Amino acid sequence: MRLPYSLSSLLTLSALLHFAAWLVPTTARAQAWAWAHQTVSSRAGGVLTERHFSGTDAPGSIYTAFAFTDTTQCGPLRLIAPRRGQFGGWRSAVAVTKLSAGGQWNWATTVAGNGWSDVDAMTTDPAGTTALTGFYEDTVRFGQFQLVSPAGGFGNWGRYVARISTAGQWLGAVDISYGAQVRAMAIDPATQDVVLTGVLSDSATFGSTHLYSRGEADTFVARLSPTGQWRWAIRGGGADEDGALGLALAPDGTAYVTGGFGAGADFGSIYPAAQGWIDGYVAAVSPGGAWRWLVPIPAQAACLGTTLTLAPGGDVLLGGIVLDGAVLGGTTIPADTLSNSFVARLDTTFRAWRWVAPVANAGTQEAVWSIATDAAGAEVYAAGTFGGLGTGFPQNPGPIASLTLGGITLAGYGAADGFVAHLDGQTGTCLNAVAWGGPADDFSGQVHSVGGRATDVVLTGSFLGPTATAGPFALATNPAAQSAAELLVARLSLPPLGVAKLHTAAEISLAPNPAHHIVRLTGAPAGPVRLLDATGRVAREWASAAAPLDLRGLPAGPYVVRAGALARRLVVVE
């Protein structure tokens, strides 16, 4: 198995988690789509699938970066990619946008040059400064800052790191070695340094530091100052292909990275032994650029850490992919003919797993691509993709997949669909999940907690069309476009429909529970009673609780019964 150099080549399909008991605690809450917006592209253009990234600032504004061709519309804002060549063919450009917390497009700008431009990663700090990185052909311009590829001319490529302010003003741009393929980055709020990690191919130069991969590819981590000076750079890996896909920064400047390594790898003075072809890992790098420790994630065949974030107190929240099974912290991630996935929480003090939540749906591929948590670390959100083996194109999408999380079954829309899952941060229990998508391939890219609040998350993704559904919101690609994807930006709010909390006290009670045909509700205030399904939608409504509630015809699964401001969990069985 080859370690991929981009998310699009890592796995073509993906998804989510969980193995917990399906009768969830009465403190569970459902998710509801507050709003969803998309780009609208021209006939010849579209968003490049999976080439999109996002971030949020402290007030809750949303920033996106994505590659596109021809023209695309972000609300009232129109962006145009450059033409090039004898016949005026379109080349890709990079769009950077800002939306308000309410979903209004504030501004959008285009990064373009003489040839192709693309984006590999981005990050946003609490003040709204965004850093992004990617590659370009020949030349590229970021406002007043122009970069020229080392060899110059069409067919010659360079890599960039650039910064843009919360107001949309470019703050600077620098070239980096083409051998340093960045896959994740973060801004240190204390110094405004940018820390980057990814895949080191052959060699790369970081100021006066020259790094060489021991094999075909290694992991690298580097720190870049606000003025474009490299503070340090380090490598890790062995004779096989190694690399990093995720990074997060602690308040003290410690960098945590995750990815994969093969046999004979070294990370400074650390020499982990690989059990499979590729094992996953979580590693810590000091603010000064030294490997501190590494926790391997052994697999029967292969494992990759795909994403991580930090919980308050320093724990790492990690997502990953496993082939042919693995045992992590005493928890078995089952083997399957296709990939399984997991979410886990690692105590960084004792380097011990607090909990591991496998995703193990037989016959489908699952992957977790992004993780977020609230300011207290009590709520965890994971986003990714699940699906089967379709072509990815609307003309021949393949079989429709589904995803079961405990007692919740998410019905798919096509060959590969996106999801957001809500977990208990202390136990890993899956509290709720929603799916979105259409008949072709859809991709949940990143999820963010808005302002660190437990009640709001932002999701970005892409859909290939011709249509997609995100809760009550209908999405569509341009009917005239050929295999064009569009960007999705959406906000999910908790709790839905005015449910403030689910009570455990005897204010309301349900009997029997679980129930089959009818259930009796007692202790409810006067007025209508609503039954919410796992997505937060109203599945049934009654004028009052005076008579038993008729459940006939409802699909089996978990629901919420709401009466006024009170609610309680109900399980319907067949």
Side-chain angles (χ1 to χ4, degrees):
M1 176 183 176
R2 295 173 58 86
L3 183 69
Y5 292 158
S6 69
L7 292 181
S8 60
S9 62
L10 184 57
L11 281 175
T12 56
L13 305 172
S14 341
L16 144 70
L17 46 123
H18 193 49
F19 69 103
W22 62 284
L23 182 55
V24 297
T26 54
T27 53
R29 289 166 290 180
Q31 291 160 325
W33 299 87
W35 51 258
H37 299 310
Q38 66 165 91
T39 56
V40 179
S41 299
S42 66
R43 183 182 66 84
V47 175
L48 301 187
T49 306
E50 301 178 20
R51 309 304 296 167
H52 50 78
F53 303 91
S54 58
T56 55
D57 61 17
S61 297
I62 305 140
Y63 303 80
T64 73
F66 58 91
F68 72 100
T69 58
D70 199 342
T71 62
T72 192
Q73 200 84 14
C74 300
L77 308 174
R78 189 168 185 252
L79 302 174
I80 303 175
R83 285 183 179 270
R84 193 205 83 179
Q86 178 181 359
F87 301 104
W90 291 101
R91 297 297 181 260
S92 67
V94 174
V96 184
T97 76
K98 178 182 179 180
L99 295 85
S100 70
Q104 288 75 42
W105 299 92
N106 291 153
W107 55 256
T109 188
T110 300
V111 176
N114 290 339
W116 291 89
S117 303
D118 210 334
V119 59
D120 288 328
M122 72 161 278
T123 186
T124 302
D125 73 4
T129 299
T130 293
L132 63 153
T133 182
F135 61 87
Y136 65 94
E137 183 184 16
D138 190 18
T139 66
V140 68
R141 181 174 291 277
F142 304 84
Q144 63 180 311
F145 306 98
Q146 178 171 297
L147 303 179
V148 180
S149 63
F154 294 122
N156 294 295
W157 302 87
R159 294 191 184 276
Y160 66 84
V161 174
R163 301 171 190 255
I164 189 169
S165 74
T166 185
Q169 301 299 312
W170 290 104
L171 304 175
V174 297
D175 266 307
I176 64 174
S177 286
Y178 199 74
Q181 304 171 43
V182 180
R183 293 292 168 250
M185 60 197 309
I187 298 174
D188 188 336
T191 63
Q192 285 299 296
D193 289 351
V194 176
V195 181
L196 312 100
T197 192
V199 178
L200 174 67
S201 295
D202 191 17
S203 65
T205 299
F206 303 85
S208 61
T209 301
H210 305 281
L211 299 181
Y212 300 89
S213 62
R214 285 184 52 203
E216 190 170 341
D218 279 358
T219 291
F220 80 90
V221 186
R223 182 178 276 258
L224 181 67
S225 77
T227 57
Q229 306 301 310
W230 293 104
R231 299 193 187 278
W232 51 259
I234 58 174
R235 57 150 297 280
D240 291 332
E241 289 190 278
D242 313 282
L245 294 172
L247 178 143
L249 280 183
D252 67 355
T254 299
Y256 295 92
V257 297
T258 188
F261 70 94
D266 70 272
F267 293 79
S269 60
I270 303 169
Y271 300 89
Q275 176 178 303
W277 303 328
I278 297 175
D279 280 4
Y281 69 86
V282 177
V285 178
S286 72
W291 295 103
R292 280 182 170 169
W293 52 258
L294 181 146
V295 175
I297 308 172
Q300 297 300 318
C303 175
L304 290 171
T306 56
T307 181
L308 58 75
T309 192
L310 292 180
D315 283 0
V316 165
L317 294 163
L318 172 73
I321 298 171
V322 172
L323 298 178
D324 291 343
V327 177
L328 183 58
T331 298
T332 298
I333 302 169
D336 193 8
T337 54
L338 300 175
S339 67
N340 288 325
S341 194
F342 66 89
V343 171
R345 183 164 183 157
L346 177 69
D347 182 325
T348 55
T349 301
F350 298 101
R351 268 93 82 185
W353 299 101
R354 294 189 186 273
W355 50 259
V356 178
V359 184
N361 283 328
T364 60
Q365 291 181 322
E366 302 92 33
V368 173
W369 297 121
S370 180
I371 293 181
T373 185
D374 68 336
E379 316 286 343
V380 174
Y381 295 90
T385 315
F386 66 97
L389 292 174
T391 65
F393 294 101
Q395 298 87 347
N396 185 21
I400 295 177
S402 64
L403 181 65
T404 299
L405 312 170
I408 302 172
T409 297
L410 300 180
Y413 298 86
D417 297 304
F419 72 86
V420 180
H422 176 198
L423 293 86
D424 185 307
Q426 303 306 310
T427 66
T429 301
C430 184
L431 303 178
N432 214 296
V434 293
W436 70 275
D441 279 3
D442 309 295
F443 181 82
S444 285
Q446 292 176 297
V447 64
H448 308 277
S449 172
V450 179
R453 297 190 293 274
T455 56
D456 292 287
V457 293
V458 166
L459 171 73
T460 55
S462 63
F463 61 98
L464 197 54
T467 60
T469 300
F473 300 100
L475 312 170
T477 57
N478 187 328
Q482 296 295 316
S483 303
E486 299 291 358
L487 179 74
L488 164 72
V489 184
R491 183 162 173 171
L492 288 78
S493 296
L494 297 173
L497 304 178
V499 177
K501 59 181 178 178
L502 304 185
H503 292 257
T504 58
E507 295 166 321
I508 61 171
S509 63
L510 296 166
N513 190 6
H516 179 37
H517 289 306
I518 62 170
V519 66
R520 292 175 177 81
L521 173 63
T522 57
V529 176
R530 294 185 176 92
L531 184 72
L532 312 182
D533 65 16
T535 68
R537 284 182 156 184
V538 177
R540 193 159 292 181
E541 186 169 355
W542 300 272
S544 73
L549 308 181
D550 187 355
L551 307 176
R552 286 173 292 185
L554 288 169
Y559 293 81
V560 173
V561 175
R562 175 186 177 245
L566 307 180
R568 193 168 184 86
R569 183 68 67 179
L570 170 68
V571 176
V572 175
V573 296
E574 293 180 346

